[in-house]
Amino acid sequence: MAYRCDLGGERHSFSDLKHVLAAASPRRSGDELAGLAAASDAQRIAARRVLADLPLKVFLTEALVPYEDDEVTRLIVDTHDAVAFAPVAHLTVGGFRDWLLSHTATSEVLAALAPGLTPEMAAAVSKLMRAQDLIVVARKCRVVTAFRTTIGLPGRLGTRLQPNHPTDDPRGIAASVLDGLLYGVGDACIGINPATDSVENAGALMTMLDELRQHYAIPAQTCVLTHVTNAIAIMERGAPVDLVFQSVAGTEAANRGFGVDLAVLAEAHDAARSLKRGTVGDNVMYFETGQGAALSADAHHGVDQQTVEARAYAVARAFRPLLVNTVVGFIGPEYLYDGKEIIRAGLEDHFCGKLLGLPMGCDVCYTNHAEADQDDMDGLMTLLTVAGCNFLIAVPGSDDIMLNYQSLSFHDVLTLRTTLRLRAAPEFEAWLEQMGMTTPDGGIRELESRHPSLNRLIDRASQVV
């Protein structure tokens, strides 16, 4: 179906719904690379006017990727909850934006609505929002999950401790883990990106992390971010798997590029749950996404990169994950050119994920050849934390020496928690208190003033390293 808009004496035409969504997007280098971006600012505004007047229901009848060609589309359509959707079914996309910003849209109301929203609806309304709007609505969306710690509670900021090493040296990884723990990082996950992605290597790293966790009685979940098929094989061998990780995207073809489909994700999910390793919950999946993944695989079906990214959240939502995060600036400037585009994309992804009912986090990051710097990341990490982000990822010194990109540091997490008066997950916080690492207001003690038990931890860890 074609769409038209007269604006300033000029008529703008859009061939179909995909064209409207792409042209309505804020400027993005990935959409320009794909030939999908608006030709001018005037066309972008015209597309937004068309989008604002479209009924939300149109996304239930006009598929961006054909139902018969794509299992992600089938998942979205077949699992749509019409009863949950009913309270907003009469709204246009513009009316939905206004409703989301109203006092009517409380946390409880938004939680009940989530199963009735499709990713395309979330992406569409985000294109009509300023950064402030994305923050206000996302902050109202509370999604709580649990395994050994409870993530997403009000007044908390979770963290993934990422102790990567370019050669997977256990001593180097252990040193990074200890460094992060001393700053109170790791309550969402202690997760390694392995330099060598094999069953043997991943299994060995999982065993090492589990022994470390048990030795110090750390209430945290561990993960080696190996391919899901490796995780299945490792579970079959009896190795200690807490969380199953997988990168996912918003089309069947893009997921095929990752070597996965819905069936293998379901197999891994069932296998991990059967282990019953969680103590306070049974959310066992960890998914990563990122704008540009489908386009880089030439599997985007002509859909703009932000909308196809939102479709990845339908994949994640189907498996009740503990954690989902967008690796917002990791692919590079071909998809998100500079700090402005990275910040906008991070806020969009977080908003769409939370609106769809996901425990959304973010790897606030950029590559060294992007037009971005650590000041941009300081801005994004602060905005996301104000927006109620479930967790952030941190590495030693903000420099990932294995993946070769810039992220957040352990110091950044400490700054956010102390400045915004946020704390770690309650189970992890209790362990920090037991180890004498926290001040009465939830901050982290100076090393020389900590409890002697912590010195014993450092001494024992030093012997391991």
Side-chain angles (χ1 to χ4, degrees):
M1 178 179 175
Y3 300 89
R4 295 178 178 83
C5 176
D6 293 324
L7 182 69
E10 184 178 357
R11 169 159 287 194
H12 297 271
S13 298
F14 306 95
S15 57
D16 55 19
L17 187 55
K18 285 193 292 188
H19 191 188
V20 173
L21 288 167
S25 294
R27 187 171 182 178
R28 197 137 310 172
S29 58
D31 290 338
E32 293 174 345
L33 176 68
L36 301 174
S40 65
D41 288 337
Q43 188 187 41
R44 182 173 290 111
I45 295 303
R48 289 178 183 174
R49 286 186 62 173
V50 171
L51 187 59
D53 290 337
L54 285 178
L56 280 177
K57 288 181 178 178
V58 74
F59 296 102
L60 300 176
T61 58
E62 191 170 340
L64 303 185
V65 183
Y67 181 92
E68 59 274 12
D69 297 340
D70 186 86
E71 69 172 359
V72 177
T73 298
R74 293 193 290 274
L75 173 68
I76 293 168
V77 173
D78 295 347
T79 60
H80 179 253
D81 188 333
V83 174
F85 179 60
V88 298
H90 63 289
L91 295 175
T92 63
V93 176
F96 185 44
R97 172 196 174 274
D98 295 343
W99 181 86
L100 287 171
L101 291 166
S102 73
H103 295 301
T104 302
T106 64
S107 297
E108 295 76 18
V109 168
L110 291 173
L113 176 66
L117 297 178
T118 69
E120 292 85 353
M121 293 175 189
V125 74
S126 76
K127 297 176 193 297
L128 304 181
M129 290 182 154
R130 294 168 51 191
Q132 178 186 126
D133 301 336
L134 298 172
I135 292 167
V136 168
V137 177
R139 185 174 178 82
K140 294 194 288 186
C141 299
R142 285 291 171 187
V143 183
V144 178
T145 56
F147 189 76
R148 289 195 188 94
T149 58
T150 306
I151 308 300
L153 294 170
R156 310 277 176 171
L157 173 63
T159 53
R160 173 185 157 199
L161 199 171
Q162 185 166 294
N164 296 345
H165 193 278
T167 63
D168 290 336
D169 179 6
R171 296 190 304 167
I173 291 171
S176 293
V177 171
L178 175 61
D179 189 17
L181 291 173
L182 293 178
Y183 284 94
V185 174
D187 54 329
C189 178
I190 302 174
I192 304 169
N193 296 87
T196 302
D197 192 17
S198 67
V199 170
E200 291 72 20
N201 185 59
L205 292 175
M206 286 179 185
T207 299
M208 183 204 76
L209 284 181
D210 195 62
E211 290 176 350
L212 181 70
R213 177 189 66 80
Q214 292 194 62
H215 189 77
Y216 301 123
I218 306 169
Q221 39 280 335
T222 63
C223 183
V224 175
L225 281 67
T226 188
H227 193 270
V228 64
T229 54
N230 287 348
I232 292 171
I234 291 166
M235 285 187 278
E236 290 173 347
R237 296 185 180 190
V241 176
D242 285 347
L243 304 182
V244 172
F245 167 82
Q246 184 56 48
S247 294
V248 293
T251 69
E252 179 180 345
N255 283 323
R256 197 160 51 238
F258 284 135
V260 299
D261 57 23
L262 297 178
V264 75
L265 293 176
E267 179 185 354
H269 175 250
D270 292 344
R273 287 195 66 198
S274 72
L275 300 178
K276 301 184 184 301
R277 292 176 58 82
T279 55
V280 295
D282 63 354
N283 301 112
V284 296
M285 302 299 283
Y286 176 16
F287 294 113
E288 281 192 342
T289 68
Q291 288 194 28
L295 176 57
S296 66
D298 193 24
H300 59 296
H301 292 269
V303 181
D304 70 271
Q305 70 177 38
Q306 189 254 331
T307 301
V308 80
E309 162 72 5
R311 284 170 53 92
Y313 306 152
V315 177
R317 183 168 63 174
F319 299 102
R320 300 177 55 248
L322 178 76
L323 307 169
V324 180
N325 72 263
T326 171
V327 191
V328 66
F330 180 68
I331 301 182
E334 299 84 0
Y335 304 94
L336 295 170
Y337 179 72
D338 57 14
K340 182 179 178 67
E341 292 188 9
I342 291 171
I343 290 170
R344 174 71 193 191
L347 293 176
E348 288 169 347
D349 294 349
H350 177 253
F351 163 84
C352 289
K354 292 294 272 303
L355 192 61
L356 293 168
L358 286 178
M360 205 68 191
C362 186
D363 189 353
V364 176
C365 62
Y366 65 101
T367 59
N368 288 314
H369 64 310
E371 292 295 322
D373 58 29
Q374 214 64 36
D375 283 343
D376 296 315
M377 302 305 105
D378 286 351
L380 180 54
M381 74 178 189
T382 305
L383 292 172
L384 284 169
T385 304
V386 172
C389 191
N390 275 34
F391 72 103
L392 297 171
I393 293 177
V395 302
S398 77
D399 185 3
D400 192 303
I401 58 174
M402 194 281 282
L403 292 174
N404 292 312
Y405 75 112
Q406 307 304 308
S407 186
L408 300 183
S409 71
F410 304 144
H411 304 75
D412 293 329
V413 171
L414 183 59
T415 296
L416 290 169
R417 282 179 172 163
T418 55
T419 303
L420 299 176
R421 298 184 179 181
L422 299 170
R423 293 144 55 196
E427 301 85 358
F428 193 80
E429 182 182 48
W431 180 79
L432 293 174
E433 292 174 352
Q434 178 186 336
M435 300 305 295
M437 293 170 63
T438 53
T439 59
D441 62 357
I444 298 295
R445 291 184 185 275
E446 295 294 333
L447 189 61
E448 60 271 14
S449 65
R450 295 178 185 177
H451 193 274
S453 63
L454 180 62
N455 293 327
R456 291 195 293 272
L457 165 64
I458 295 172
D459 289 342
R460 290 198 299 266
S462 299
Q463 294 170 12
V464 173
V465 173

